[in-house]
Amino acid sequence: MSKFNTDFQKNHNTKDSRWKTFKDYVDCLPNQDSIIKRKDNSVLASCPLGEVNHKHGDKHQSFILNEVWSKKYKRDVVVFTCLSNCCSQHELGNFFRGRLGL
């Protein structure tokens, strides 16, 4: 799990209504047409920072959003990464914080 995801989840009580679901994260992705649902319950999509950080936008989906079981929280937590190595977890975290109102 990324440092951002770990820090974010640490700061949010699992009973808190601000705890966001996997669907909340998927719904705030800017290019909804690029989303490919995979068999493992993850999604592959255009990077939400593609227009800013990617040299030619993100023509081929390079962003993975997944839900994994957390032993610590005893629930599923959302994890994400940009496979193109153009975007840092910090930048992606800031994107989601802004979109999800955190």
Side-chain angles (χ1 to χ4, degrees):
M1 186 180 310
S2 73
K3 178 166 176 23
F4 166 76
N5 286 333
T6 303
D7 290 347
F8 174 78
Q9 301 296 359
K10 259 193 250 179
N11 295 325
H12 287 77
N13 183 325
T14 57
K15 294 180 173 122
D16 189 335
S17 63
R18 293 176 300 168
W19 189 274
K20 301 301 180 185
T21 66
F22 181 73
K23 184 179 179 336
D24 293 330
Y25 280 83
V26 173
D27 288 347
C28 75
L29 291 173
N31 187 354
Q32 292 289 308
D33 294 335
S34 76
I35 296 172
I36 299 171
K37 293 181 182 175
R38 298 168 34 155
K39 289 181 182 180
D40 64 355
N41 294 327
S42 66
V43 293
L44 182 64
S46 292
C47 180
L49 302 177
E51 296 299 318
V52 177
N53 289 357
H54 295 242
K55 190 174 186 176
H56 300 289
D58 193 18
K59 293 179 184 175
H60 305 285
Q61 293 92 339
S62 66
F63 183 74
I64 295 217
L65 190 64
N66 201 355
E67 199 169 32
V68 297
W69 180 256
S70 168
K71 290 179 186 178
K72 180 176 180 175
Y73 297 108
K74 306 216 180 343
R75 68 174 295 151
D76 288 332
V77 295
V78 177
V79 293
F80 48 81
T81 194
C82 179
L83 301 173
S84 68
N85 295 323
C86 296
C87 307
S88 71
Q89 288 300 110
H90 180 74
E91 292 171 309
L92 291 166
N94 285 339
F95 168 82
F96 282 113
R97 273 192 286 269
R99 287 287 180 108
L100 294 170
L102 302 172

